[in-house]
Amino acid sequence: MIHFNQPYITGLEKKYFKEVISSKILSSNGKFTKKCQQFFEDKYNFKKTILTPSCTAALEMTTLLLSIQPGDEVIVPSYTFVSTANAFILRGAKIVFADSYKENPNIDAASIHALITKKTKAIVPVHYAGVACDMDTIINMAKKNNLYVVEDAAQAIGAYYKNDPLGSLGNLAAFSFHETKNISCGEGGMLVINDEKYTKRAETIRDKGTNRIDFLKGKVDKYQWVDIGSSYGLNELSASFLYAQLQRIENIRQKRKDQWQLYYKELFSLEKEGKAMLPNIPAYAVHNHHIFYLVCKNLEERSALIAFLHKRGINAVFHNQSLHKSNYYKSKHDGRELPNADRFSDCLIRLPLYYKLSTASQNKISKNILLFYK
Ligand SMILES: *Cc1c(COP(=O)(O)O)cnc(C)c1O
């Protein structure tokens, strides 16, 4: 069976684990956490980063930092993972779902304007597959209407909007290092703070609402409860695993690029003949080859293709399901049709893409997909 995904092990992990174990400092904000944070701040021009146990946790931190309240409205694409919306729901916000573009799953920036009301607090662009959203349009609209921009950059490490790294454009951003993402430590994430006024409070929120940081620095003599917060620090073992990945970040990037381009070349005839749609990368986006997908004609065709590949030992999968139609949210949605989000829910299929995927396996996958369409 060709797996859909397999986490990449660089070989440096054991050495770093040993270092952590002999240091006897296993909790958050230790040496490897600081090394990772410094790496991201230097490489991607992020003002401040905080490693977290997940992207979900980082998104929750953004809602606390922006003081999202019951009744606030937040604009989120319907075609995304649950966590993008759930973090705001936990604060009592109302989610106003936006549609995707016809040509790509990202939020249709031109459709956002009509969704803004007096209650709107934030726009949450999700850079699907590590392909940038139209950030100039989104940021200008946010500025004009006094809204925050929180980038869900879960899939977007190392990707750019024009010359700017994704995650550096919103007020705040959240990344994921889940095992399915380009760079991973099993479960992990990162909050990016691009407006330094949030830094101090973010550290308090990470540390359960305490002034632990000031206490450790000797600035206060008592370690106290000073704000709301939760447990949002990443442990050192995970941070050391992540640091091993960062030593290979450019190799991983190049490998995925080669693999992605090979699929594109091998499957291009499907797009040319109008049989299936391949990923469409806007001119403003420098993507990170996180996902290679096809868009089938309809749900039946996609189900048949998944079954066809499965029978031949290939595990290809569908992805997000429109959140406005989810069991949890459908009764709360305002009833607008979001046809493009629905089409990607029904028709998009992701192909295996990971470091150890061989060229022979890719050839086999492409050959079988072409056979299916013949
Ligand atoms: C993976 C993903 C998340 C969740 O990441 P975790 O680290 O598993 O919490 C959130 N949003 C998007 C768009 C994702 O792809």
Side-chain angles (χ1 to χ4, degrees):
M1 192 73 177
I2 300 176
H3 299 285
F4 169 67
N5 180 62
Q6 229 178 19
Y8 172 52
I9 310 295
T10 66
L12 297 166
E13 290 80 1
K14 279 188 194 153
K15 174 172 163 254
Y16 293 156
F17 274 173
K18 278 190 192 149
E19 267 186 57
V20 174
I21 291 164
S22 47
S23 79
K24 301 200 168 51
I25 297 171
L26 306 181
S27 60
S28 72
N29 211 25
K31 180 177 120 183
F32 280 102
T33 297
K34 287 179 178 145
K35 276 174 177 276
C36 290
Q37 291 176 178
Q38 193 67 50
F39 179 96
F40 289 120
E41 287 161 23
D42 293 344
K43 190 166 173 80
Y44 301 118
N45 212 15
F46 300 145
K47 290 230 174 74
K48 166 74 187 166
T49 59
I50 292 183
L51 293 191
T52 58
S54 63
C55 177
T56 303
L59 287 164
E60 288 175 20
M61 290 181 81
T62 71
T63 68
L64 294 171
L65 286 168
L66 300 178
S67 299
I68 298 296
Q69 305 289 326
D72 289 347
E73 293 180 4
V74 180
I75 299 171
V76 173
S78 178
Y79 189 77
T80 184
F81 187 64
V82 178
S83 299
T84 320
N86 193 61
F88 292 89
I89 289 286
L90 284 174
R91 308 312 302 159
K94 179 179 169 206
I95 306 297
V96 177
F97 284 115
D99 206 0
S100 301
Y101 289 112
K102 203 168 169 28
E103 314 76 40
N104 103 39
N106 280 341
I107 189 166
D108 179 347
S111 77
I112 295 173
H113 184 71
L115 306 178
I116 295 173
T117 72
K118 284 203 174 71
K119 292 181 179 167
T120 309
K121 272 285 162 62
I123 307 172
V124 191
V126 180
H127 307 296
Y128 183 78
V131 178
C133 295
D134 178 358
M135 294 308 286
D136 280 349
T137 303
I138 291 169
I139 286 170
N140 284 334
M141 205 166 342
K143 278 200 180 130
K144 252 190 227 146
N145 295 281
N146 215 1
L147 308 176
Y148 298 115
V149 174
V150 175
E151 296 177 73
D152 182 338
Q155 306 175 7
I157 196 71
Y160 291 76
Y161 174 79
K162 298 180 182 170
N163 292 316
D164 294 317
L166 298 185
S168 70
L169 294 155
N171 302 83
L172 299 166
F175 284 90
S176 174
F177 306 120
H178 184 265
E179 129 182 340
T180 52
K181 305 301 203 270
N182 289 17
I183 301 294
S184 89
C185 59
E187 300 269 2
M190 177 168 70
L191 172 71
V192 177
I193 299 168
N194 294 314
D195 183 340
E196 272 149 327
K197 75 174 184 233
Y198 297 113
T199 299
K200 182 139 181 37
R201 189 159 182 244
E203 289 177 328
T204 301
I205 288 171
R206 174 194 60 202
D207 295 337
K208 296 92 174 170
T210 70
N211 59 357
R212 180 168 178 269
I213 279 271
D214 283 347
F215 179 69
L216 293 177
K217 286 181 187 153
K219 285 196 196 158
V220 292
D221 58 3
K222 277 193 212 102
Y223 173 12
Q224 287 203 39
W225 188 12
V226 296
D227 199 343
I228 57 169
S230 191
S231 185
Y232 289 135
L234 183 70
N235 73 79
E236 268 294 283
L237 279 168
S238 297
S240 74
F241 192 102
L242 185 63
Y243 193 65
Q245 303 262 305
L246 297 183
Q247 306 309 300
R248 297 286 178 268
I249 193 165
E250 286 307 320
N251 307 43
I252 295 169
R253 180 186 178 79
Q254 188 59 45
K255 185 79 174 183
R256 296 187 78 99
K257 184 175 178 183
D258 294 344
Q259 292 168 326
W260 195 98
Q261 289 180 339
L262 180 61
Y263 273 140
Y264 198 90
K265 197 174 106 210
E266 289 184 335
L267 297 169
F268 185 69
S269 64
L270 296 177
E271 168 126 333
K272 218 171 96 192
E273 292 160 18
K275 288 178 174 160
M277 188 172 96
L278 301 192
N280 175 341
I281 313 297
Y284 52 67
V286 179
H287 70 124
N288 65 356
H289 311 92
H290 176 55
I291 294 175
F292 192 91
Y293 65 81
L294 293 179
V295 184
C296 300
K297 283 248 154 62
N298 53 44
L299 178 60
E300 292 68 38
E301 185 182 285
R302 184 182 70 181
S303 304
L305 177 56
I306 289 174
F308 182 90
L309 294 174
H310 198 262
K311 245 191 227 155
R312 286 155 182 82
I314 298 160
N315 193 13
V317 299
F318 58 86
H319 204 188
N320 300 318
Q321 298 299 296
S322 290
L323 294 180
H324 73 287
K325 288 196 169 163
S326 62
N327 276 343
Y328 177 68
Y329 212 80
K330 64 185 175 216
S331 61
K332 301 174 186 69
H333 178 60
D334 54 31
R336 280 172 302 115
E337 296 281 340
L338 304 173
N340 297 328
D342 289 343
R343 178 160 156 266
F344 290 114
S345 301
D346 287 349
C347 305
L348 185 145
I349 172 172
R350 300 171 70 183
L351 304 186
L353 185 63
Y354 49 93
Y355 198 92
K356 294 276 179 176
L357 180 70
S358 69
T359 302
S361 293
Q362 277 198 280
N363 295 154
K364 176 178 166 183
I365 294 164
S366 298
K367 208 178 83 195
N368 278 288
I369 293 171
L370 294 174
L371 188 66
F372 174 83
Y373 277 105
K374 219 163 166 188

